[in-house]
Amino acid sequence: MLVGVVEDAGRGGIPLGPWGKFDSASGESYALLFHLLDAGAVGEVLWRLFLTVRQRQVIADGLGVSLEQAGRLVAFCAACHDIGKVSAFQACEPVAWARVGEALRADAGGWVWMPHGRASMVALLPVLAELGFEVAGNASAGVRVAQVAGGHHGRYPALDVTAELRQDGRLGGPLWTDLRRRYVRVVHHLLGVEVVPSRMSAQAAVLITGVVMLADRLVSQRGYWTRRASAPAVGAAEHMAGSRAQAPRLVDRAGLSRVVLPEVPFARAHSLPEPNVMQASLMRALQKAGAGGGGAMVLVTDGTGGGKSAAGLEAARLLNAACGTAGWCWLLPTTATADAAYDVAARYVEAHGADRSPLGLVHHHPWLNRAYTDQRIAADLQGSTRDAPWNDTVWDEGEGEERERPREAVTVPDRWLRGWDRALLAQFAVATVDQALMAALPVRHSPLRMLALSGKAVIIDEAHVLDTFTFRQLERLLVWLGAFGTPVVVLSATLPARAGERLVRAYLRGAGAAASAGPLVAPYPGWLIADAATGATTVMAAADRERHRGRQRRSVVMGRADVVYRPLGPAPRQVQAAERLAVIGELVAPVVSGGGYAAVTAATVTDAQETYRYLRDTLDFGGRPADLVLLHARFPGRQRERLMRRVRQALGRDRPYPGRMIVVTTSLLDVSLDIDVDVMISDLAPISWLLQRLGRLWRFQHAWTGQERRPAWVREAGACLTVCHPVGPDGALDVPGHWSHIPAFTLHATAATLAGRTAGQPLILPDAVPALVEEVQAALDTEKGAAVDVELHRAYTASVRAQEHLSSAQLIPPPHRVASLFDLHRQPLTAATAATRLGMLPRPLLPCYRTPHGRLALDAAGRFELPEGNLRPAHVRALLGRSVPVPAAWVARPGAGHPRPPTAWRGHPLLGDLVLLPLTADRAPTAFGDHLVHLDPELGLVHQHTPAV
């Protein structure tokens, strides 16, 4: 028979022997009931201080209760998360088990150990039924509350309601069953839950799960519970009062309290004199009463340099005010573009002058960015007592410069938020798009990512870069964001109209709004606003569009040079006049003699390396070899980050004049980099890539009006992008075989479109962009492509369908199709194995040297040996800063005797996947099966594939 809940909450009213936390070093344990109450108290505070108005409303609507009662139910779910520990779990620690009590130990019976998350789910079902929750099917409120508790460690377990309701002794005898009931009833009483929800929507369940995960992690911090364990309360009610007193400080110290940025003028926020026509018109439209009140999506299309970034940040600010959200997450396609955007975002946040405004950088290696210091890495590592001759400049050893130590700023994210799976929770975040897409994949802790994204405006930049596989994932993410009423801003310079319409429809479909009869295509340049509540759309006025277009209009030439592609090869040879390398040499020769800035964009890293070698060996730089720069993705991380910053500084708005630089690169410079070059040469590429590159050609011409910022020969020649068009002996397009990462048909369709233009005829930007993009897109999407090449078009279409199928196969279902919450985790993917783009997942390759003593070191002199024990932040930074990401297939077959990383690294979250690349004095390549790899200090990682015949 149950003891009264009021008596249970009082002093000595309920057994406190079962433990929730245990410290094996000190033998100290913490009562499970107290841990549950801690989580409930933090859940209450997260409801008030962390969840936004919009998120609270989604949860309340999804539960069918008032906002006040919804907050109590969320805290109740948080408090119930570990109830499954009242089970065989208690015997995991013999010392703590001895303290449980003789009667309970004797009542263990034939219990069966099971993960305590599943045990929580199973144990809650009958108790919730007693409390009045419906426990009748996959979507009933009681079942979903139980699954929320079961999923608090990252995955929702499968649940057979009928089977689990049968109490068969797996969780212990009647004393254990009674104790679980009493614990749940105590937290139910102390949290003031007075209503039973009639339902729990999938959206509400996901957000509540995120809160439960967050509350559990906060109160599980050792420093928190050990302090409370040393001075325990004597009853549940007394402990709850103490938990409620400490919870606000705990949440605030974790950086989860919302920050309100003071209002500042546009000029101060963006370092611009005033908003341009497009930005001003968008801001006026969003300031209208009711715009985006239930969520909205904004699609901005404009040329590179047209002010899309500032427009996106202003749209996010205004939509947050209208939608009840706070902060933003700015998503970009690559780490390089995310690093560039981080600088812009940091200046924007700091310009508002808030005392604290955390800005996170979230991608696979944020530690390479100056914003992330050793202290940030230290937050996620255990302390080390190892003394070694390492220092903060170790990764610059042999590179001739010391690492700049950045200043600490108000944009530094709070330490707790620097955890690798928590970083998106920062109120302001810059991230690669894959970090957000994992919220729409069945990966562990995906509800935490969804919680992080749904409470802030989501800015998706450079959406046109995403391939079919990734674009399909973005659509599913937008369905969920639409269901949450999360404001979304999509920015693009070359997004095809059909692709933009698909994104808008996905968002409105998730919001449950049928698209109105209005346009779903944003004008170019211009913007479109889609209201999630009504489906109504608004577009930029034609007069405003013409004014904006007129102010940025410029004339460029896209020339074509027919070239014969031949690899340079390792041995010196004579390059013929018609070869690609010779043509590029002729085009950049005036830069060497007359000054200026040029970019040569190669199709592959190998092509970039060979182009660099040829220009280095044939052009006379007059003793200034630094004027020729090679930049690609296969340099060691720190070296690549430094090269990128050097190029951005050299080619930026305030670049030195007179000056000279030739940058040989890949697509790394295509997006989100605010740079200007006088001369541009590119290998043939898809039309969207070429138009992106055009955006860097004479980019600041309007800003430099009246200034002599270009050499005379450049001004006379005009702005020209020369496309190297590879041809065969018959003069027809002949795409090199190793360009396989680019769909061949897109190159043929682009070449056919460009061939239809009069050679040397100027392109008027931005006016010409939509026609070029849509003409190529029509060939890709329709039978018009058969006129270009029937077989290639057929292969391309089959590839697109295959990518869509593969992408769809791993996506979580949309909210309206979620039956059991287990549907969200049916596939056992992890953040490390989930694919957000088609192809093999990368592996980090760490170059190292063998010392005379047989050990491995980062440097040839052997001063910095690979650490094998505890790791200091400087160790981790140095190791990661020297690693190079490569396709996993390259390093899948190491040879016999290949060195292995130290054993201590294997379980490390940042070092566990590292593969060692032993280097020798003669730079001999290392064989991984039929892949030969070596690191050249000037060229970066050099790769050869020699498949067996």
Side-chain angles (χ1 to χ4, degrees):
M1 181 177 179
L2 289 173
V3 179
V5 68
V6 175
E7 290 79 3
D8 269 353
R11 297 190 176 196
I14 197 169
L16 297 175
W19 58 277
K21 296 295 174 185
F22 180 77
D23 182 24
S24 57
S26 64
E28 189 171 35
S29 61
Y30 190 52
L32 173 61
L33 180 58
F34 290 174
H35 175 64
L36 301 183
L37 293 173
D38 291 346
V42 169
E44 290 177 326
V45 175
L46 290 173
W47 175 267
R48 297 195 311 268
L49 300 184
F50 175 72
L51 292 182
T52 62
V53 172
R54 185 66 200 163
Q55 288 174 313
R56 293 197 292 266
Q57 192 63 58
V58 168
I59 292 173
D61 291 345
L63 294 174
V65 300
S66 69
L67 284 169
E68 180 183 1
Q69 285 300 323
R72 295 178 182 181
L73 284 165
V74 168
F76 174 68
C77 290
C80 290
H81 74 284
D82 265 355
I83 193 64
K85 288 183 176 179
V86 186
S87 67
F89 173 88
Q90 292 295 311
C92 292
E93 292 288 349
V95 174
W97 173 239
R99 300 170 184 166
V100 166
E102 185 176 346
L104 286 171
R105 290 199 305 272
D107 192 47
W111 65 12
V112 178
W113 182 91
M114 66 175 72
H116 74 267
R118 170 169 284 282
S120 293
M121 179 180 68
V122 173
L124 271 176
L125 284 172
V127 184
L128 291 172
E130 292 176 0
L131 291 172
F133 286 73
E134 182 185 5
V135 181
N138 284 328
S140 61
V143 170
R144 285 195 165 169
V145 168
Q147 280 194 295
V148 165
H152 76 271
H153 276 306
R155 292 189 184 280
Y156 295 113
L159 174 61
D160 183 332
V161 178
T162 303
E164 300 299 357
L165 280 174
R166 293 195 297 266
Q167 294 297 301
D168 53 8
R170 288 179 301 159
L171 298 181
L175 290 180
W176 291 95
T177 300
D178 181 64
L179 190 60
R180 287 191 294 270
R181 286 197 186 105
R182 292 168 68 184
Y183 275 14
V184 173
R185 286 179 174 270
V186 164
V187 298
H188 187 268
H189 166 68
L190 291 177
L191 290 169
V193 180
E194 297 174 349
V195 300
V196 174
S198 59
R199 60 183 180 270
M200 180 182 280
S201 68
Q203 301 96 293
V206 167
L207 294 184
I208 293 172
T209 305
V211 173
V212 172
M213 291 176 178
L214 207 48
D216 181 32
R217 291 184 181 201
L218 287 168
V219 300
S220 295
Q221 296 176 93
R222 187 181 180 280
Y224 174 79
W225 69 261
T226 52
R227 285 197 302 271
R228 305 212 67 197
S230 63
V234 294
E238 181 181 345
H239 183 88
M240 187 64 180
S243 297
R244 281 176 165 148
Q246 295 194 33
R249 184 166 178 264
L250 180 64
V251 171
D252 188 63
R253 289 185 63 182
L256 294 171
S257 300
R258 294 293 177 181
V259 175
V260 178
L261 294 183
E263 291 191 17
V264 298
F266 180 94
R268 177 178 169 184
H270 301 283
S271 300
L272 295 171
E274 62 182 7
N276 63 27
V277 175
M278 183 268 290
Q279 294 159 348
S281 66
L282 177 59
M283 291 162 63
R284 286 195 302 270
L286 290 174
Q287 285 168 343
K288 291 182 179 179
M297 178 174 175
V298 175
L299 177 58
V300 179
T301 61
D302 200 0
T304 55
K308 294 189 298 298
S309 297
L313 291 170
E314 287 301 309
R317 176 180 66 84
L318 294 167
L319 286 172
N320 279 333
C323 300
T325 46
W328 37 256
C329 183
W330 189 354
L331 303 175
L332 294 110
T334 66
T335 57
T337 55
D339 284 339
Y342 182 89
D343 292 345
V344 175
R347 289 193 296 268
Y348 173 83
V349 172
E350 287 184 332
H352 287 76
D355 292 335
R356 180 178 67 85
S357 44
L359 173 65
L361 177 64
V362 193
H363 55 60
H364 289 301
H365 37 262
W367 48 86
L368 299 181
N369 189 287
R370 289 183 304 175
Y372 276 68
T373 65
D374 284 344
Q375 288 75 19
R376 293 175 175 81
I377 291 179
D380 294 288
L381 300 177
Q382 295 296 322
S384 172
T385 58
R386 182 178 190 270
D387 292 323
W390 293 54
N391 56 48
D392 292 343
T393 62
V394 60
W395 66 6
D396 291 322
E397 178 68 24
E399 295 172 3
E401 64 177 283
E402 288 196 357
R403 178 173 60 85
E404 175 184 356
R405 181 171 294 279
R407 66 184 181 87
E408 293 286 345
V410 295
T411 53
V412 169
D414 293 88
R415 172 169 294 193
W416 194 82
L417 289 175
R418 296 173 208 152
W420 306 114
D421 61 350
R422 301 190 296 262
L424 283 175
L425 292 166
Q427 185 170 336
F428 305 97
V430 176
T432 48
V433 69
D434 61 300
Q435 298 295 325
L437 293 178
M438 280 191 281
L441 297 176
V443 301
R444 192 172 183 180
H445 300 123
S446 56
L448 199 61
R449 293 178 188 268
M450 203 70 86
L451 175 72
L453 293 171
S454 61
K456 55 176 74 92
V458 176
I459 305 171
I460 303 166
D461 206 347
E462 309 291 357
H464 55 274
V465 174
L466 306 180
D467 61 15
T468 300
F469 185 88
T470 308
F471 193 88
R472 184 74 188 87
Q473 295 178 341
L474 178 59
E475 286 183 285
R476 182 57 51 86
L477 177 62
L478 288 175
V479 169
W480 276 87
L481 294 180
F484 289 125
T486 302
V488 173
V489 183
V490 177
L491 311 175
S492 178
T494 56
L495 189 69
R498 179 171 172 269
E501 182 177 351
R502 283 176 58 183
L503 295 180
V504 174
R505 288 191 182 279
Y507 183 82
L508 293 179
R509 186 165 61 250
S516 67
L520 291 179
V521 176
Y524 190 95
W527 49 259
L528 174 145
I529 303 171
D531 189 283
T534 64
T537 59
T538 309
V539 297
M540 185 175 176
D544 288 337
R545 292 203 304 271
E546 181 53 39
R547 286 173 55 215
H548 181 61
R549 193 162 42 227
R551 293 186 180 183
Q552 58 174 324
R553 189 171 283 134
R554 58 196 176 97
S555 174
V556 299
V557 172
M558 190 181 296
R560 165 176 159 172
D562 288 345
V563 301
V564 175
Y565 180 89
R566 282 187 62 196
L568 183 60
R573 69 172 181 83
Q574 186 67 36
V575 174
Q576 303 301 313
E579 288 188 44
R580 168 186 171 275
L581 293 172
V583 171
I584 291 174
E586 292 176 3
L587 291 171
V588 300
V591 176
V592 178
S593 59
Y597 297 85
V600 180
T601 306
T604 69
V605 171
T606 299
D607 292 334
Q609 290 169 330
E610 293 198 341
T611 303
Y612 173 87
R613 285 171 49 209
Y614 175 78
L615 297 179
R616 177 196 64 189
D617 296 341
T618 59
L619 298 178
D620 181 8
F621 285 90
R624 293 175 55 187
D627 291 349
L628 179 65
V629 177
L630 176 63
L631 174 62
H632 55 71
R634 288 192 211 139
F635 280 106
R638 175 59 176 167
Q639 186 179 358
R640 182 181 65 251
E641 192 261 351
R642 185 166 49 247
L643 285 169
M644 179 69 77
R645 287 191 174 275
R646 176 185 168 193
V647 168
R648 286 166 52 197
Q649 182 177 7
L651 304 181
R653 192 179 296 267
D654 299 321
R655 73 183 195 189
Y657 178 81
R660 181 180 71 179
M661 178 178 282
I662 300 173
V663 181
V664 181
T665 185
T666 57
S667 57
L668 207 59
L669 291 186
D670 280 1
V671 290
S672 293
L673 294 183
D674 204 22
I675 59 175
D676 175 296
V677 296
D678 302 313
V679 178
M680 183 169 284
I681 302 106
S682 171
D683 282 332
L684 180 64
I687 189 65
S688 61
W689 298 12
L690 294 177
L691 291 172
Q692 283 291 128
R693 290 164 194 174
L694 273 176
R696 274 75 195 166
L697 182 66
W698 290 37
R699 181 185 183 96
F700 304 138
Q701 188 62 20
H702 291 306
W704 292 342
T705 300
Q707 303 178 47
E708 296 294 338
R709 302 299 298 270
R710 305 190 194 279
W713 76 267
V714 171
R715 298 196 300 271
E716 182 179 346
C720 179
L721 164 61
T722 303
V723 179
C724 293
H725 188 268
V727 297
D730 58 354
L733 177 63
D734 184 19
V735 178
H738 68 288
W739 292 9
S740 55
H741 65 292
I742 308 173
F745 183 72
T746 62
L747 297 178
H748 281 261
T750 297
T753 296
L754 295 179
R757 308 268 165 174
T758 304
Q761 180 181 4
L763 288 176
I764 305 301
L765 300 180
D767 307 60
V769 171
L772 288 169
V773 170
E774 297 305 330
E775 185 174 343
V776 173
Q777 195 63 37
L780 299 177
D781 292 342
T782 69
E783 290 304 316
K784 181 180 178 182
V788 177
D789 190 297
V790 176
E791 292 302 320
L792 284 177
H793 182 253
R794 186 175 298 145
Y796 171 80
T797 302
S799 173
V800 168
R801 290 173 179 168
Q803 287 189 50
E804 289 184 336
H805 172 74
L806 290 172
S807 183
S808 298
Q810 65 174 1
L811 292 173
I812 63 173
H816 66 277
R817 288 179 53 198
V818 175
S820 168
L821 294 181
F822 176 62
D823 293 344
L824 300 176
H825 285 121
R826 286 188 180 274
Q827 299 182 67
L829 297 180
T830 66
T833 60
T836 54
R837 64 188 67 191
L838 200 59
M840 295 296 290
L841 295 171
R843 290 288 299 274
L845 193 61
L846 178 66
C848 56
Y849 298 83
R850 191 170 294 280
T851 69
H853 304 292
R855 295 179 59 81
L856 294 171
L858 284 184
D859 62 321
R863 288 178 296 168
F864 305 111
E865 294 182 353
L866 300 189
E868 297 185 4
N870 292 329
L871 301 170
R872 289 172 43 206
H875 301 152
V876 179
R877 179 184 288 279
L879 296 171
L880 296 173
R882 287 183 179 256
S883 66
V884 185
V886 299
W890 290 10
V891 294
R893 293 186 292 161
H898 188 91
R900 296 172 61 86
T903 304
W905 297 10
R906 294 178 190 172
H908 194 284
L910 302 180
L911 306 180
D913 288 338
L914 279 175
V915 177
L916 300 184
L917 174 64
L919 302 178
T920 59
D922 60 358
R923 298 181 185 174
T926 299
F928 293 87
D930 51 11
H931 294 272
L932 301 178
V933 181
H934 75 277
L935 182 68
D936 184 285
E938 190 176 6
L939 301 177
L941 197 75
V942 179
H943 168 256
Q944 289 178 285
H945 188 204
T946 56
V949 179

